[in-house]
Amino acid sequence: NVKTGISEVKLSINNLPSGLTATVNPDKITVKVGKRVSKTFPVQTTITESQVAQGVSISSVNLGDSKVTVFTDEDYMERIDHVEAVLPESDVISGNYTGVATLRAVDSNGTAIPSVISPYETTVKITTKTSGSSSTSTSSTSTSSSNH
């Protein structure tokens, strides 16, 4: 049994099929064990400029879950600023969009904090408007490089 704090744990291999051998390298690891706590956080959507097609602006964003529960240890919990819904990097919003976003707890700098989030993903519905043309069936999957 491991107590709260930092401990060294010996690794072992168990239940190998007969005739099979294995070794573990390294044979020990250092683990940090903290008191598990939970807290409810509101969810914010993170959409990068490179994920929005040129000429498209976002009118509204609706999330399937507006609040989620985060589980982590006391030290990490103090560092969490908010939970963000992150769209897959490959998705480009070129019109109205519905998809699934992964949730992650982050600090005030946007750095992910180790945690378990329930639920771990949510649906995102984005309503857009295009500037200039009012084309209704655009299915452009352009992978243009962003000019940052």
Side-chain angles (χ1 to χ4, degrees), residues 53 92-95 137-143:
V92 176
I93 296 150
S94 56
S137 63
T138 51
S139 37
S140 64
T141 318
S142 63
T143 320

Side-chain angles (χ1 to χ4, degrees), residues 97-113:
Y97 171 95
T98 300
V100 176
T102 303
L103 300 175
R104 68 178 185 179
V106 296
D107 64 15
S108 58
N109 297 319
T111 303
I113 303 294

Side-chain angles (χ1 to χ4, degrees), residues 1-11 27-34 73:
N1 280 343
V2 178
K3 295 183 172 146
T4 301
I6 296 176
S7 300
E8 198 168 82
V9 178
K10 186 169 176 23
L11 301 175
D27 63 346
K28 294 183 213 168
I29 59 171
T30 303
V31 295
K32 176 184 179 263
V33 177
D73 75 19

Side-chain angles (χ1 to χ4, degrees), residues 58-126:
I58 295 174
S59 303
S60 68
V61 177
N62 292 310
L63 296 169
D65 299 278
S66 59
K67 291 184 177 187
V68 295
T69 304
V70 177
F71 301 89
T72 190
D73 75 19
E74 291 171 319
D75 294 339
Y76 283 132
M77 189 64 79
E78 288 177 17
R79 294 173 42 200
I80 296 174
D81 182 68
H82 64 279
V83 171
E84 60 183 12
V86 183
L87 297 177
E89 284 184 29
S90 59
D91 287 8
V92 176
I93 296 150
S94 56
N96 291 343
Y97 171 95
T98 300
V100 176
T102 303
L103 300 175
R104 68 178 185 179
V106 296
D107 64 15
S108 58
N109 297 319
T111 303
I113 303 294
S115 60
V116 173
I117 301 173
S118 180
Y120 65 93
E121 59 185 18
T122 190
T123 54
V124 179
K125 290 183 181 180
I126 299 172

Side-chain angles (χ1 to χ4, degrees), residues 9-24 27:
V9 178
K10 186 169 176 23
L11 301 175
S12 62
I13 299 170
N14 301 318
N15 303 321
L16 279 178
S18 62
L20 214 58
T21 60
T23 57
V24 177
D27 63 346

